[in-house]
Amino acid sequence: MLSTELQQESMLNRIEKIVAILMEERPLFKEELNPTEVVELLCKLFETNLPIEEFNTMSDQELKKHCSSIMVTEAVAGTLNELTPEQMAIFDEAIKRK
């Protein structure tokens, strides 16, 4: 196996563990997110935006924080898709006031 493949596999395994922990800690994640899709998304985001050396030196706590932030955004986006047009208008108005 190439070292790049090993690095990707290591990243995947680490992200899978973090996602599993977050899914257990936050019921909203279990309700709104597909764990496999989330892991794929996170892997793509980290591979694209972060050098592997930085990823490898990031603490589990820091990685968990980053993953959680992305997962919250994804969960909220999914929730917003379920709003009626009237509910969406109320939401938009509330955002504008802040």
Side-chain angles (χ1 to χ4, degrees):
M1 204 181 263
L2 298 171
S3 72
T4 303
E5 290 175 357
L6 286 172
Q7 290 173 337
Q8 288 175 331
E9 186 175 326
S10 174
M11 177 185 282
L12 175 68
N13 291 335
R14 196 167 168 212
I15 290 173
E16 284 176 335
K17 288 176 189 173
I18 296 292
V19 168
I21 291 167
L22 289 168
M23 288 280 187
E24 285 302 313
E25 291 178 354
R26 295 190 170 182
L28 174 70
F29 290 160
K30 275 186 172 179
E31 293 171 21
E32 296 294 328
L33 301 173
N34 176 312
T36 304
E37 291 174 3
V38 169
V39 169
E40 289 175 13
L41 171 67
L42 291 169
C43 283
K44 281 183 191 175
L45 289 172
F46 285 118
E47 285 174 358
T48 304
N49 298 300
L50 191 68
I52 192 69
E53 297 80 20
E54 281 187 51
F55 179 85
N56 288 337
T57 58
M58 186 183 302
S59 71
D60 284 348
Q61 197 60 31
E62 188 177 355
L63 178 60
K64 184 178 173 186
K65 180 180 153 190
H66 289 295
C67 289
S68 179
S69 296
I70 295 166
M71 290 170 69
V72 165
T73 303
E74 287 297 309
V76 169
T79 303
L80 290 177
N81 291 337
E82 298 170 5
L83 295 179
T84 65
E86 294 81 18
Q87 290 170 322
M88 195 61 172
I90 293 168
F91 176 80
D92 286 343
E93 188 59 36
I95 294 297
K96 287 177 188 174
R97 281 186 262 152
K98 293 197 180 221

